[in-house]
Amino acid sequence: RRNIMEVRPAADVTRLASQWLSQQIDQPFFLLLNYMDAHAPLVLDRIERLRLERNGLSNRSVSEQFAVKNRVNKQGIPVDDPEYRYFQQAYGLISERLDRHMGLLLQLLQNQQRESTTAVVITSDHGEALGEKLFMGHGPSLQEEVIRVPLLVRWPGLDSSTQVSPRPVSLI
């Protein structure tokens, strides 16, 4: 029996979703994917760590990340500049990784000639505070960094270039 709450890295989620999609060729489908890579701890792959080092920052271990988060959230001690830069850049690198994986899935739909018949919605359940206002994470907070999330919708038959809303929308 598999744990349905098992956390997998983006590469595994994309690979499994691609395999599943390839088996659904002539069938309607609903697929919900939850990428967890941008959740604490921020685990960088080898290339991402090298990019971080080229920017003069060293990778932080899981225990170091949680120590900083604990210090900020429980003791009210602000992150210093190198720590903030680390979390900001690591989160950015992981966001780029997730963007690449979204692109791979969209490319698969295009290769299967399904992009014109498949609705795609990309969103997030929360953002992430990186210590900007003496808070790190996404727990009980209404900070802008936590509540502002993307909502991208590609609907078959609609010209996406003319359907951009300047107003805030709700996921509820």
Side-chain angles (χ1 to χ4, degrees), residues 46-57 89:
R46 185 180 58 81
I47 293 170
E48 292 163 344
R49 286 191 304 270
L50 289 171
R51 287 180 62 193
L52 196 70
E53 289 169 9
R54 271 186 267 159
N55 289 333
L57 297 169
Q89 289 187 29

Side-chain angles (χ1 to χ4, degrees), residues 1-9 12-17 19-20 31-34:
R1 190 174 123 154
R2 275 193 56 212
N3 176 2
I4 62 170
M5 295 302 290
E6 182 179 352
V7 175
R8 295 176 180 265
D12 288 353
V13 172
T14 301
R15 178 181 49 78
L16 291 168
Q19 290 171 352
W20 186 84
L31 176 62
L32 171 69
L33 302 175
N34 190 4

